[in-house]
């Protein structure tokens, strides 16, 4: 009877799991509610406000994150994933390759360096060819753009340009491309002066335009989109914007039907008694060429949507000229900010924004401890309702949280660069975050999380794992909301361009090739992290050149560091194992993301651009075969206990200089990472020994309990524990 009862229990768990995952035919499959997987930290070292996210539609496993660092560091960041957005690696030009910049790239850690950088960034992926255009503002004096024909691996000198035209006061650029062609567009605005548009018909070899403003009286632009449907309005260009003084700060779009030669303004209605829209007015086009614009009303603080159906009324001859009255799309929230919209099939849209139940009354007035902010997404499959002859009364909207915890517990200053004048203001999120759709119409999103002692933002990525597709006829999303304690990582992916080797052909660094990690309570006093590496047989060879070499960015390879970091109780904690170049010894420690281990930004000793992850406290540790085991006192990591909820648990291997560096451009570079997971911390499984140095209260060490190297979670030796954890995950997911 006992085996029979076990089979029934597993069947029940499997059935409930299918429901939660949104399997075809399940109750969850028909729900408009969306869930998102665990949040991946796109880069654990560098803080990144105002991030954007883009899938490469030629390969859904490939995606990109970009964000600016600031004029103090002359750096705009581009990160690339080739494993379905589970891990990201920074792209940078080689000082060894004259065709992509050569010695001028030293200490830049940027994808190209023939131009400057350090201001706003943006990226566009051509939907047919997969060519990548990355723009990085040179402070506020110039716009620079580079085009990659190998999916973001390299940006040749010939395709990197400082744009002709306006050279001072430039702000926030946006890009678009015509499907399957070599034609690209980039637009930016200069406050009060207007919108400037540049065009390239040869994938960035040459650029034209931008000498005079294409549109005047513009306070801010919010997005650029192009009709790639092949329909009546094919190649029509749209830019959403906020008008300036003459048009009384209203939301609007400008439209070009002749490839950017001429533009027509169309102002949109505002909500009743509306104030000036806050921040960006953003837009998207669906696969039928219908246009959608969203913004936050400056009086009510709610997010609104207006729609322009392509085949009705004046839109037939003049696209973008006829719009619906704005409708509110958020629900149950008091304050929203930073909307960003994506569209799929006709009428199917998703809008992401930050929202809070705090009283406000504005984002600037939300105080710490008043519920905090979450990134939300609102989905609609009938957003065209009320546009043209559509007979329904009103569109419907379905709201879901994206993150598994608040992303900021403070105000959000919306005064732009003027926030710097108020030392009490918080503009650490900057001004927006981004969404993108994969080929199945499922959402990928990047947002900022400032839950750490520095209050600076990690750029986090998550993909939709349940709920509907934005493309008609495509399946619902499926996947795990939390991941697995013991989530495995791909082998042979620790490729790192060292001393002139090429990224695509370089040998994987076995001693830095992470295979996964897991976390436990050793006992009530000690928290344990275990990191599996492909080969730790010779620590002295882990650092190339024995500590005297440099990588292709000019970074001194003085040491290797393995970290596992996670979020807990409003902070970010980590454990670390460090190997000096040429050494056979690994030292161990732990810490909290804080100014004590920060990389100074060169402007203020009280601010930081990133982390060294140098240990701030000691820890027991040992290399057990090819597994790194670290036991740290719970008091050093937030007094974690059994059952504590850890968010975004990830491990990273990195190479870099010693911990005394003060320049972001000399920061360590990530070689490999593991997929993120969330977990309720379990006790360590029976038979898994502590580090040989011993942990007080547990007796001696031991070398047993190594992790298996294959399998979905590789911790195959703890099946019973996994079943208990799975049951707990199902229970939480059903009731959340």
């Amino acid at each position: 009877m006992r085996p029979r009862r076990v089979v029934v229990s597993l069947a029940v768990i499997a059935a409930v799991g299918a429901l939660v995952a949104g399997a075809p035919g399940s109750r969850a499959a028909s729900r408009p509610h969306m869930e998102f997987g665990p949040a991946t930290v796109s880069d654990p070292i560098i803080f990144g406000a105002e991030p954007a996210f883009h899938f490469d539609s030629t390969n859904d496993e490939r995606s990109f994150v970009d964000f600016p660092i600031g004029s103090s560091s002359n750096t705009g960041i581009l990160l690339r994933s080739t494993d379905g957005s589970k891990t990201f690696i920074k792209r940078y030009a080689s000082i060894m390759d004259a065709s992509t910049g050569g010695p001028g790239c030293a200490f830049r850690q940027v994808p190209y360096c023939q131009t400057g950088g350090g201001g706003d960034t943006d990226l566009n992926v051509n939907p047919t060819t997969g060519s990548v255009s990355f723009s990085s503002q040179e402070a506020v004096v110039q716009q620079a753009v580079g085009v990659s024909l190998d999916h973001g691996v390299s940006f040749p000198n010939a395709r990197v340009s400082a744009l002709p035209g306006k050279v001072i006061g430039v702000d926030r650029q946006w890009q678009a491309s015509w499907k399957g062609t070599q034609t690209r567009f980039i637009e930016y605005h200069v406050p009060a002066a207007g919108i400037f548009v540049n065009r390239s018909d040869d994938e960035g070899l040459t650029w034209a335009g931008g000498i005079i403003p294409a549109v005047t009286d513009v306070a801010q632009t919010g997005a650029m989109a192009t009709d790639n449907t092949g329909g009546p309005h094919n190649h029509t260009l749209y830019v959403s914007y906020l008008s300036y003084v003459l048009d009384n700060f209203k939301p609007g779009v400008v439209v070009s039907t002749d490839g950017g030669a001429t533009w027509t303004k169309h102002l949109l209605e505002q909500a009743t008694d509306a104030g000036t829209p806050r921040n960006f007015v953003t837009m998207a086009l669906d696969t039928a060429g219908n246009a959608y614009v969203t913004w936050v009303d400056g009086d009510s603080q709610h997010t609104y949507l207006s729609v322009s159906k392509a085949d009705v009324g004046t839109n037939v001859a003049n696209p973008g000229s006829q719009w619906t009255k704005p409708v509110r799309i958020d629900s149950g929230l008091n304050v929203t900010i930073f909307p960003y919209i994506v569209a799929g099939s006709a009428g199917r849209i998703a809008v992401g924004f930050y929202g809070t139940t705090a009283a406000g009354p504005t984002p600037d007035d939300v105080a710490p401890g008043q519920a905090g902010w979450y990134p939300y997404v609102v989905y609609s499959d009938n957003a065209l309702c009320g546009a043209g002859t559509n007979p329904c009364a009103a569109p419907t909207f379905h709201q879901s949280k994206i993150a598994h915890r608040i992303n900021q517990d403070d105000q959000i200053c919306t005064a732009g660069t003027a926030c710097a004048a108020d030392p009490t203001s918080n503009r650490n999120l900057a001004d927006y975050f981004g969404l993108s759709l994969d080929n199945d119409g499922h959402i990928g999103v990047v947002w900022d999380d400032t839950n750490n002692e520095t209050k600076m933002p990690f750029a986090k990525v998550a993909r939709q794992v349940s709920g509907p597709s934005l493309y008609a006829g495509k399946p619902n999303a499926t996947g795990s909301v939390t991941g697995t304690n013991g989530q495995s990582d791909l082998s042979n992916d620790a490729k790192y361009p060292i001393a002139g080797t090429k990224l695509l052909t370089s040998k994987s660094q076995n001693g830095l090739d992470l295979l996964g990690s897991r976390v436990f309570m050793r006992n009530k006093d000690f928290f344990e992290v275990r990191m599996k590496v492909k080969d730790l047989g010779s620590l002295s060879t882990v650092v190339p050149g024995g500590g005297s070499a440099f990588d292709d960015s000019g970074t001194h390879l003085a040491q290797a560091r393995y970290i596992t970091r996670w979020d807990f109780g409003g902070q970010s904690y980590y454990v670390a194992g460090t190997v000096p170049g040429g050494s056979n010894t690994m030292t161990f420690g732990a810490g909290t993301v804080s100014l004590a281990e920060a990389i100074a930004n060169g402007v203020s000793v009280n601010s930081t651009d990133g982390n060294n992850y140098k240990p701030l406290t000691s820890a027991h540790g040992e290399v057990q075969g090819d597994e790194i085991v670290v036991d740290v006192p719970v008091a050093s990591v937030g007094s974690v206990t059994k059952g504590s909820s850890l968010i975004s648990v990830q491990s990273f291997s990195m190479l870099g200089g010693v911990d005394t560096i003060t320049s972001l451009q000399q920061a360590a570079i990530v070689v490999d990472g593991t997929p993120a997971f969330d977990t309720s911390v379990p006790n360590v499984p029976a038979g898994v020994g502590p580090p040989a140095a011993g942990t007080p209260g547990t007796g001696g060490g031991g070398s047993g309990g190594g992790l298996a190297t294959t399998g979905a979670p590789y911790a195959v030796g703890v099946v019973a524990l996994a079943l208990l954890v799975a049951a707990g995950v199902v229970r939480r997911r059903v009731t959340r």
Side-chain angles (χ1 to χ4, degrees), residues 54 122-127 131-133 135 145 147 173-179 181-187 197-200 203 207 223-228 235-239 263 285:
H54 299 271
D122 190 48
L123 184 136
N124 175 265
V125 184
N126 186 282
S131 60
V132 176
S133 178
S135 60
V145 61
V147 176
Q173 72 276 39
W174 306 96
Q175 299 187 69
S177 58
W178 283 345
K179 183 178 180 179
T181 75
Q182 295 189 27
T183 298
R184 293 188 163 277
F185 300 88
I186 180 171
E187 64 86 8
V197 180
N198 292 85
R199 171 174 171 165
S200 173
E203 287 284 27
W207 292 86
M224 189 179 200
T226 182
D227 188 318
N228 279 317
H235 287 178
T236 295
L237 297 167
Y238 300 78
V239 176
W263 296 82
L285 301 176

Side-chain angles (χ1 to χ4, degrees), residues 321-540:
S321 60
Q322 181 175 325
W323 294 82
T324 61
K325 291 184 178 180
V327 293
R328 175 182 165 182
I329 67 172
D330 66 285
S331 60
L333 300 171
N334 288 325
V335 186
T336 64
I337 194 64
F338 303 162
Y340 190 93
I341 186 168
V342 291
S345 298
R348 298 191 179 205
I349 65 164
V351 181
F353 52 78
Y354 294 139
T356 181
T357 57
T362 75
D364 306 75
D365 298 312
V366 174
Q370 293 183 334
W373 299 85
Y374 278 93
Y376 287 87
V377 65
V378 166
Y379 162 77
S380 177
D381 61 4
N382 67 343
L384 291 172
C385 176
T389 59
N390 198 317
C392 64
T396 55
F397 302 99
H398 310 277
Q399 183 173 290
S400 307
K401 287 179 180 177
I402 296 171
H404 300 172
R405 68 165 190 170
I406 61 172
N407 71 299
Q408 173 147 307
D409 186 18
D410 203 347
Q411 64 150 205
I412 296 177
C413 183
T414 58
T417 55
C419 294
D422 180 0
T424 66
S425 69
N426 187 323
R427 194 182 174 237
N428 291 348
L429 300 178
D431 292 328
Y432 70 91
F433 64 106
L435 286 72
S436 185
L437 294 182
D438 66 17
N439 285 318
D440 284 326
H442 302 143
I443 298 169
V445 57
V446 65
W447 72 95
D448 280 327
D449 186 308
T450 64
N451 284 280
N452 64 78
E453 189 175 309
T454 72
K455 305 301 182 184
M456 295 299 291
F458 288 106
K460 289 187 171 183
V461 174
R463 295 184 69 164
Q464 181 186 347
V465 296
S466 75
S469 168
L470 268 66
Y471 291 142
K474 291 289 187 178
N476 280 27
T478 59
S480 172
V481 172
T482 61
T484 306
N485 189 348
Q487 193 84 25
S488 64
D489 181 53
L490 296 173
S491 181
N492 299 319
D493 63 344
K495 295 186 176 182
Y496 185 63
I498 297 169
T501 61
K502 300 292 185 181
L503 175 68
L504 295 181
T505 58
S506 63
K507 181 181 178 181
S508 181
Q509 307 294 310
N510 290 342
L512 297 166
D513 189 2
L514 294 169
L515 301 181
S517 58
R518 52 182 177 162
V519 296
F520 302 109
M521 293 302 300
R522 169 55 59 184
N523 56 36
K524 66 181 180 62
D525 297 316
F526 282 83
F527 175 74
E528 182 166 293
V529 173
R530 306 179 78 91
M531 293 177 270
K532 181 69 176 178
V533 183
K534 185 172 183 179
D535 184 3
L536 289 175
S538 178
L539 290 181
S540 63

Side-chain angles (χ1 to χ4, degrees), residues 113-262:
C113 53
Q114 300 89 304
T115 61
D120 298 331
T121 62
D122 190 48
L123 184 136
N124 175 265
V125 184
N126 186 282
T128 303
T129 65
S131 60
V132 176
S133 178
F134 175 71
S135 60
S136 183
Q137 187 186 95
E138 302 181 17
V140 293
V141 299
Q142 187 84 29
Q143 294 287 5
V145 61
V147 176
S148 169
L149 303 184
D150 54 10
H151 307 289
V153 174
S154 63
F155 292 79
N157 285 348
R159 299 185 187 275
V160 176
S161 306
L163 296 180
K166 192 71 178 177
V167 294
I168 192 167
V170 297
D171 190 27
R172 178 37 61 195
Q173 72 276 39
W174 306 96
Q175 299 187 69
S177 58
W178 283 345
K179 183 178 180 179
T181 75
Q182 295 189 27
T183 298
R184 293 188 163 277
F185 300 88
I186 180 171
E187 64 86 8
Y188 57 91
H189 86 282
V190 175
I195 297 172
F196 294 78
V197 180
N198 292 85
R199 171 174 171 165
S200 173
D201 292 311
D202 50 18
E203 287 284 27
L205 289 174
T206 58
W207 292 86
I211 305 300
I212 59 174
V215 183
T216 58
D217 194 48
V218 173
Q220 181 64 271
T221 55
M224 189 179 200
T226 182
D227 188 318
N228 279 317
T229 65
H233 299 320
N234 194 49
H235 287 178
T236 295
L237 297 167
Y238 300 78
V239 176
S240 58
Y241 77 105
L242 174 64
S243 68
Y244 198 50
V245 176
L246 295 179
D247 289 323
N248 198 28
F249 298 97
K250 292 182 178 179
V253 297
V254 293
V255 182
S256 175
T257 58
D258 55 10
T262 61

Side-chain angles (χ1 to χ4, degrees), residues 519 527 566-568 640 644-649 677-679 681:
V519 296
F527 175 74
W566 64 93
D567 300 325
F568 172 63
V640 60
S644 291
S645 179
L646 306 189
I647 304 295
S648 296
V649 184
F677 63 87
D678 301 344
T679 189
V681 184

Side-chain angles (χ1 to χ4, degrees), residues 577-605:
T578 304
V579 181
S583 173
N584 263 315
T585 301
M586 183 180 295
T587 59
F588 305 92
T592 305
V593 172
S594 62
L595 290 176
E597 49 80 72
I599 301 171
N601 68 6
V603 176
S604 170
V605 295

Side-chain angles (χ1 to χ4, degrees), residues 667-736:
I669 295 184
V670 173
V671 180
D672 194 18
T674 64
F677 63 87
D678 301 344
T679 189
S680 293
V681 184
N683 285 330
V684 68
V688 177
T695 301
T698 65
S703 58
L707 303 181
T709 59
T710 58
Y714 60 75
V716 295
V718 289
V719 174
L721 175 65
L723 290 175
L724 291 174
V725 172
V729 169
V730 168
R731 182 170 60 254
R732 289 193 303 276
R733 290 174 63 184
V734 169
T735 58
R736 61 183 297 171

